[in-house]
Structures are given as C-alpha cells and as structure tokens.
Amino acid sequence: RTVRLRVPAGSAKPGPSIGQALGPLGINMIEFCKSFNAQTQHIIPETPTPVVLSAYSNRTFSFELKTPPTTWFLKRCAGIEKGSKMPGFEEAGVVGTKALYEIAKIKTNKDLVFKIPLRSTVRSIAATAMSMGLTIRDDMEVEDRENEGAYVSEYEDFE
C-alpha cells in the first residue's frame, strides 16, 4: 500500500498527523521519522515536503521525497505568508520571471516532468502565481533569455 504525506523537512516527529497515516499500516513511526529526518537534513528546515510512502506486508517501508508545492516556492520568492483573498483585484506580492524559471528547473528535475518544455512549466507556474494574486515582473536580461533560465538556486538541494 502507498500513502501520501506532507511532512516538514528535518523535523518530523511521531504525532497524530503521521500516526493516523502510519498506524493502520503497522509501520514504526519513530523509525520513519528518524530515516525521514536523516534524508531531509540538507533541505531548508520546516519545508513542507511531500512523501510517497510504500508499506510492505512484513512491516517494512520505503519512501520517496517529492519537491515542495509550487505555492510554497512562490510565497518564499514573494516574501508573503499567504496569497490574496481576491486574486485579480488585490495584489499579494511581486515575483520575478527569473524566480519562475528557477522554480521550473527545480520542479522539472525532480518530479519526472523533464519531457515537458521548460517554457510550458514556467507558464503553469505563472498561472499559479496569478491565481495567488502575485504580480509577475519581468526581470530577465537578454542573455538569460537565451539560456532559458540556467540559474543556480538556493534550492538546488532538491535537484
């Protein structure tokens, strides 16, 4: 059986949120938390990290880490806590096109969407940003456009 969880990176604790998912599967919560924290120690603490956990019949497990949600990246880039209550009418913040390309590179490297063109991924992230009430500012230089956003990011640990 597989279970999908969203756990803060580096600080998983055995508690009700994890216990309700792992308890019925017979998986030791402390063992999961230790191995999860060990694997996510290089990631920025408290980053919401999606996990796909596979439980086996002999009470063992394996898990795969995914990249954080696009909205989390956008909120960090814009420096806001939450999006607009009325997107399109209220501006929640501003995000640059350079940041959109960086997020797209992170998402395409990890989540097996490498066959989708980078521009298409950027458009999808831009649509998410607009639905959060973020304004997109064009901050790319001419040479950046030629490279289609080949940037080094502080989030390269996800690659």
Short mmCIF file of all heavy atoms in Angstrom, two decimals, residues 79-119:
data_model
loop_
_atom_site.label_atom_id
_atom_site.label_comp_id
_atom_site.label_asym_id
_atom_site.label_seq_id
_atom_site.Cartn_x
_atom_site.Cartn_y
_atom_site.Cartn_z
N GLY A 79 7.98 36.70 -0.60
CA GLY A 79 8.11 37.17 0.77
C GLY A 79 6.78 37.40 1.46
O GLY A 79 6.63 38.34 2.23
N ILE A 80 5.81 36.53 1.17
CA ILE A 80 4.48 36.69 1.77
C ILE A 80 4.12 35.43 2.57
O ILE A 80 4.72 34.37 2.38
CB ILE A 80 3.40 36.96 0.70
CG1 ILE A 80 3.34 35.80 -0.32
CG2 ILE A 80 3.64 38.27 -0.01
CD1 ILE A 80 2.19 35.90 -1.30
N GLU A 81 3.15 35.56 3.45
CA GLU A 81 2.68 34.44 4.25
C GLU A 81 1.58 33.65 3.54
O GLU A 81 1.52 32.44 3.63
CB GLU A 81 2.15 34.93 5.60
CG GLU A 81 3.23 35.40 6.54
CD GLU A 81 4.14 34.27 7.00
OE1 GLU A 81 3.62 33.18 7.32
OE2 GLU A 81 5.36 34.47 7.02
N LYS A 82 0.68 34.37 2.86
CA LYS A 82 -0.40 33.70 2.13
C LYS A 82 -0.79 34.55 0.93
O LYS A 82 -0.46 35.73 0.85
CB LYS A 82 -1.60 33.44 3.03
CG LYS A 82 -2.25 34.66 3.61
CD LYS A 82 -3.41 34.27 4.49
CE LYS A 82 -4.14 35.50 4.98
NZ LYS A 82 -5.33 35.13 5.74
N GLY A 83 -1.50 33.93 0.01
CA GLY A 83 -1.91 34.61 -1.21
C GLY A 83 -3.06 35.56 -0.96
O GLY A 83 -3.57 35.70 0.15
N SER A 84 -3.50 36.20 -2.04
CA SER A 84 -4.58 37.18 -1.97
C SER A 84 -5.93 36.48 -1.77
O SER A 84 -6.15 35.38 -2.27
CB SER A 84 -4.61 37.99 -3.26
OG SER A 84 -5.73 38.83 -3.30
N LYS A 85 -6.81 37.14 -1.05
CA LYS A 85 -8.17 36.61 -0.90
C LYS A 85 -8.98 36.82 -2.16
O LYS A 85 -9.92 36.07 -2.43
CB LYS A 85 -8.87 37.27 0.29
CG LYS A 85 -8.29 36.87 1.61
CD LYS A 85 -9.02 37.52 2.76
CE LYS A 85 -8.38 37.13 4.06
NZ LYS A 85 -8.99 37.81 5.20
N MET A 86 -8.61 37.85 -2.93
CA MET A 86 -9.32 38.17 -4.17
C MET A 86 -8.29 38.34 -5.30
O MET A 86 -7.96 39.47 -5.66
CB MET A 86 -10.16 39.43 -4.01
CG MET A 86 -11.28 39.27 -3.02
SD MET A 86 -12.27 40.73 -2.70
CE MET A 86 -12.19 41.70 -4.14
N PRO A 87 -7.78 37.23 -5.85
CA PRO A 87 -6.79 37.35 -6.92
C PRO A 87 -7.38 38.09 -8.12
O PRO A 87 -8.54 37.91 -8.47
CB PRO A 87 -6.48 35.91 -7.30
CG PRO A 87 -7.03 35.07 -6.23
CD PRO A 87 -8.08 35.87 -5.53
N GLY A 88 -6.56 38.93 -8.73
CA GLY A 88 -7.04 39.72 -9.85
C GLY A 88 -7.51 41.10 -9.42
O GLY A 88 -7.56 42.02 -10.22
N PHE A 89 -7.90 41.23 -8.16
CA PHE A 89 -8.36 42.51 -7.63
C PHE A 89 -7.39 43.06 -6.58
O PHE A 89 -7.19 44.25 -6.48
CB PHE A 89 -9.76 42.37 -7.01
CG PHE A 89 -10.80 41.97 -8.01
CD1 PHE A 89 -11.25 40.66 -8.06
CD2 PHE A 89 -11.31 42.88 -8.91
CE1 PHE A 89 -12.20 40.28 -8.98
CE2 PHE A 89 -12.25 42.50 -9.84
CZ PHE A 89 -12.70 41.19 -9.89
N GLU A 90 -6.84 42.16 -5.77
CA GLU A 90 -5.87 42.54 -4.75
C GLU A 90 -4.52 41.93 -5.10
O GLU A 90 -4.45 40.75 -5.43
CB GLU A 90 -6.29 42.03 -3.37
CG GLU A 90 -7.48 42.69 -2.78
CD GLU A 90 -7.82 42.10 -1.42
OE1 GLU A 90 -7.12 41.18 -0.96
OE2 GLU A 90 -8.81 42.56 -0.83
N GLU A 91 -3.46 42.73 -4.97
CA GLU A 91 -2.12 42.20 -5.21
C GLU A 91 -1.54 41.72 -3.87
O GLU A 91 -1.53 42.45 -2.90
CB GLU A 91 -1.23 43.30 -5.79
CG GLU A 91 0.17 42.82 -6.07
CD GLU A 91 1.05 43.93 -6.60
OE1 GLU A 91 0.68 44.57 -7.59
OE2 GLU A 91 2.12 44.15 -6.00
N ALA A 92 -1.07 40.48 -3.86
CA ALA A 92 -0.49 39.93 -2.64
C ALA A 92 1.01 40.17 -2.58
O ALA A 92 1.59 40.25 -1.51
CB ALA A 92 -0.78 38.44 -2.54
N GLY A 93 1.65 40.27 -3.74
CA GLY A 93 3.09 40.45 -3.79
C GLY A 93 3.58 40.45 -5.23
O GLY A 93 2.78 40.39 -6.17
N VAL A 94 4.89 40.49 -5.39
CA VAL A 94 5.50 40.52 -6.71
C VAL A 94 6.54 39.41 -6.79
O VAL A 94 7.29 39.18 -5.84
CB VAL A 94 6.18 41.89 -6.98
CG1 VAL A 94 6.84 41.91 -8.33
CG2 VAL A 94 5.16 43.00 -6.86
N VAL A 95 6.58 38.73 -7.92
CA VAL A 95 7.58 37.69 -8.16
C VAL A 95 8.17 37.93 -9.55
O VAL A 95 7.46 38.35 -10.47
CB VAL A 95 6.97 36.28 -8.01
CG1 VAL A 95 5.98 35.97 -9.09
CG2 VAL A 95 8.03 35.22 -7.96
N GLY A 96 9.46 37.70 -9.69
CA GLY A 96 10.14 37.93 -10.97
C GLY A 96 10.15 36.71 -11.87
O GLY A 96 9.98 35.58 -11.41
N THR A 97 10.35 36.95 -13.15
CA THR A 97 10.39 35.83 -14.10
C THR A 97 11.61 34.95 -13.86
O THR A 97 11.56 33.75 -14.12
CB THR A 97 10.40 36.34 -15.55
OG1 THR A 97 11.42 37.32 -15.69
CG2 THR A 97 9.07 36.93 -15.94
N LYS A 98 12.69 35.53 -13.35
CA LYS A 98 13.87 34.73 -13.01
C LYS A 98 13.51 33.67 -11.96
O LYS A 98 13.91 32.52 -12.07
CB LYS A 98 14.96 35.63 -12.44
CG LYS A 98 16.20 35.68 -13.23
CD LYS A 98 17.21 36.58 -12.55
CE LYS A 98 18.36 36.77 -13.48
NZ LYS A 98 19.38 37.65 -12.96
N ALA A 99 12.74 34.08 -10.96
CA ALA A 99 12.30 33.15 -9.91
C ALA A 99 11.41 32.06 -10.50
O ALA A 99 11.50 30.89 -10.10
CB ALA A 99 11.58 33.90 -8.81
N LEU A 100 10.56 32.42 -11.46
CA LEU A 100 9.69 31.42 -12.09
C LEU A 100 10.53 30.36 -12.81
O LEU A 100 10.23 29.16 -12.73
CB LEU A 100 8.72 32.08 -13.07
CG LEU A 100 7.72 33.07 -12.49
CD1 LEU A 100 6.83 33.61 -13.59
CD2 LEU A 100 6.90 32.45 -11.40
N TYR A 101 11.58 30.80 -13.50
CA TYR A 101 12.45 29.85 -14.19
C TYR A 101 13.21 28.97 -13.20
O TYR A 101 13.39 27.77 -13.44
CB TYR A 101 13.43 30.58 -15.12
CG TYR A 101 12.87 30.78 -16.50
CD1 TYR A 101 12.23 31.95 -16.85
CD2 TYR A 101 12.97 29.78 -17.45
CE1 TYR A 101 11.70 32.13 -18.12
CE2 TYR A 101 12.45 29.94 -18.72
CZ TYR A 101 11.82 31.12 -19.05
OH TYR A 101 11.29 31.28 -20.30
N GLU A 102 13.64 29.54 -12.08
CA GLU A 102 14.34 28.73 -11.08
C GLU A 102 13.41 27.67 -10.50
O GLU A 102 13.81 26.51 -10.35
CB GLU A 102 14.85 29.63 -9.96
CG GLU A 102 16.03 30.49 -10.35
CD GLU A 102 16.52 31.35 -9.21
OE1 GLU A 102 16.17 31.07 -8.04
OE2 GLU A 102 17.27 32.29 -9.48
N ILE A 103 12.19 28.06 -10.19
CA ILE A 103 11.22 27.10 -9.66
C ILE A 103 10.95 26.01 -10.69
O ILE A 103 10.89 24.83 -10.36
CB ILE A 103 9.92 27.82 -9.24
CG1 ILE A 103 10.18 28.77 -8.08
CG2 ILE A 103 8.84 26.80 -8.88
CD1 ILE A 103 9.03 29.71 -7.79
N ALA A 104 10.80 26.41 -11.95
CA ALA A 104 10.53 25.43 -13.01
C ALA A 104 11.67 24.43 -13.15
O ALA A 104 11.44 23.23 -13.33
CB ALA A 104 10.30 26.14 -14.34
N LYS A 105 12.91 24.90 -13.04
CA LYS A 105 14.05 23.99 -13.13
C LYS A 105 14.05 22.99 -11.99
O LYS A 105 14.32 21.81 -12.18
CB LYS A 105 15.36 24.78 -13.14
CG LYS A 105 15.63 25.47 -14.46
CD LYS A 105 17.02 26.02 -14.50
CE LYS A 105 17.95 24.84 -14.54
NZ LYS A 105 19.34 25.12 -14.66
N ILE A 106 13.73 23.45 -10.79
CA ILE A 106 13.68 22.55 -9.64
C ILE A 106 12.58 21.52 -9.83
O ILE A 106 12.78 20.33 -9.61
CB ILE A 106 13.45 23.35 -8.34
CG1 ILE A 106 14.68 24.21 -8.04
CG2 ILE A 106 13.16 22.42 -7.17
CD1 ILE A 106 14.43 25.27 -7.00
N LYS A 107 11.40 21.97 -10.25
CA LYS A 107 10.27 21.06 -10.40
C LYS A 107 10.50 20.05 -11.53
O LYS A 107 10.14 18.89 -11.39
CB LYS A 107 8.98 21.85 -10.67
CG LYS A 107 8.54 22.75 -9.53
CD LYS A 107 8.23 22.00 -8.28
CE LYS A 107 6.76 21.71 -8.16
NZ LYS A 107 6.42 21.06 -6.89
N THR A 108 11.11 20.47 -12.64
CA THR A 108 11.29 19.55 -13.75
C THR A 108 12.39 18.54 -13.49
O THR A 108 12.34 17.43 -14.00
CB THR A 108 11.60 20.29 -15.07
OG1 THR A 108 12.73 21.13 -14.87
CG2 THR A 108 10.43 21.10 -15.54
N ASN A 109 13.38 18.89 -12.68
CA ASN A 109 14.46 17.94 -12.40
C ASN A 109 14.01 16.80 -11.51
O ASN A 109 14.46 15.68 -11.66
CB ASN A 109 15.65 18.65 -11.74
CG ASN A 109 16.45 19.43 -12.73
OD1 ASN A 109 16.35 19.21 -13.92
ND2 ASN A 109 17.27 20.34 -12.23
N LYS A 110 13.16 17.06 -10.56
CA LYS A 110 12.84 16.07 -9.55
C LYS A 110 11.59 15.25 -9.84
O LYS A 110 11.58 14.07 -9.62
CB LYS A 110 12.69 16.78 -8.20
CG LYS A 110 12.45 15.88 -7.04
CD LYS A 110 13.65 15.07 -6.68
CE LYS A 110 13.37 14.26 -5.42
NZ LYS A 110 14.44 13.44 -5.03
N ASP A 111 10.55 15.87 -10.32
CA ASP A 111 9.25 15.19 -10.38
C ASP A 111 8.92 14.52 -11.70
O ASP A 111 7.76 14.41 -12.07
CB ASP A 111 8.14 16.18 -10.01
CG ASP A 111 8.16 16.52 -8.53
OD1 ASP A 111 8.73 15.74 -7.76
OD2 ASP A 111 7.60 17.55 -8.16
N LEU A 112 9.93 14.07 -12.41
CA LEU A 112 9.74 13.29 -13.64
C LEU A 112 8.89 14.00 -14.69
O LEU A 112 8.11 13.38 -15.40
CB LEU A 112 9.13 11.92 -13.32
CG LEU A 112 9.97 11.03 -12.41
CD1 LEU A 112 9.22 9.76 -12.08
CD2 LEU A 112 11.30 10.70 -13.05
N VAL A 113 9.03 15.31 -14.77
CA VAL A 113 8.35 16.06 -15.83
C VAL A 113 9.39 16.67 -16.76
O VAL A 113 9.16 17.70 -17.35
CB VAL A 113 7.41 17.16 -15.25
CG1 VAL A 113 6.21 16.56 -14.60
CG2 VAL A 113 8.16 18.06 -14.31
N PHE A 114 10.53 15.99 -16.86
CA PHE A 114 11.64 16.50 -17.67
C PHE A 114 11.33 16.52 -19.16
O PHE A 114 12.01 17.18 -19.92
CB PHE A 114 12.93 15.72 -17.40
CG PHE A 114 12.79 14.24 -17.58
CD1 PHE A 114 12.97 13.66 -18.81
CD2 PHE A 114 12.47 13.44 -16.49
CE1 PHE A 114 12.84 12.29 -18.97
CE2 PHE A 114 12.35 12.07 -16.65
CZ PHE A 114 12.53 11.50 -17.89
N LYS A 115 10.30 15.83 -19.60
CA LYS A 115 9.95 15.82 -21.02
C LYS A 115 9.08 17.02 -21.40
O LYS A 115 8.91 17.32 -22.57
CB LYS A 115 9.23 14.53 -21.39
CG LYS A 115 10.14 13.33 -21.32
CD LYS A 115 9.47 12.09 -21.82
CE LYS A 115 10.45 10.93 -21.77
NZ LYS A 115 9.90 9.72 -22.33
N ILE A 116 8.55 17.71 -20.41
CA ILE A 116 7.74 18.90 -20.68
C ILE A 116 8.70 20.07 -20.87
O ILE A 116 9.62 20.26 -20.07
CB ILE A 116 6.78 19.17 -19.50
CG1 ILE A 116 5.81 18.00 -19.35
CG2 ILE A 116 6.03 20.47 -19.70
CD1 ILE A 116 4.92 18.10 -18.14
N PRO A 117 8.51 20.86 -21.93
CA PRO A 117 9.41 22.00 -22.15
C PRO A 117 9.41 22.97 -20.96
O PRO A 117 8.38 23.17 -20.31
CB PRO A 117 8.84 22.68 -23.39
CG PRO A 117 8.01 21.64 -24.05
CD PRO A 117 7.51 20.73 -22.97
N LEU A 118 10.56 23.55 -20.70
CA LEU A 118 10.72 24.45 -19.56
C LEU A 118 9.76 25.64 -19.64
O LEU A 118 9.18 26.06 -18.65
CB LEU A 118 12.17 24.94 -19.47
CG LEU A 118 12.55 25.71 -18.22
CD1 LEU A 118 12.40 24.82 -16.99
CD2 LEU A 118 13.96 26.21 -18.32
N ARG A 119 9.57 26.17 -20.85
CA ARG A 119 8.65 27.30 -21.02
C ARG A 119 7.22 26.94 -20.60
O ARG A 119 6.52 27.75 -20.00
CB ARG A 119 8.63 27.75 -22.47
CG ARG A 119 9.45 28.94 -22.72
CD ARG A 119 9.39 29.30 -24.20
NE ARG A 119 10.72 29.62 -24.65
CZ ARG A 119 11.17 30.85 -24.72
NH1 ARG A 119 10.39 31.84 -24.38
NH2 ARG A 119 12.39 31.09 -25.10
#
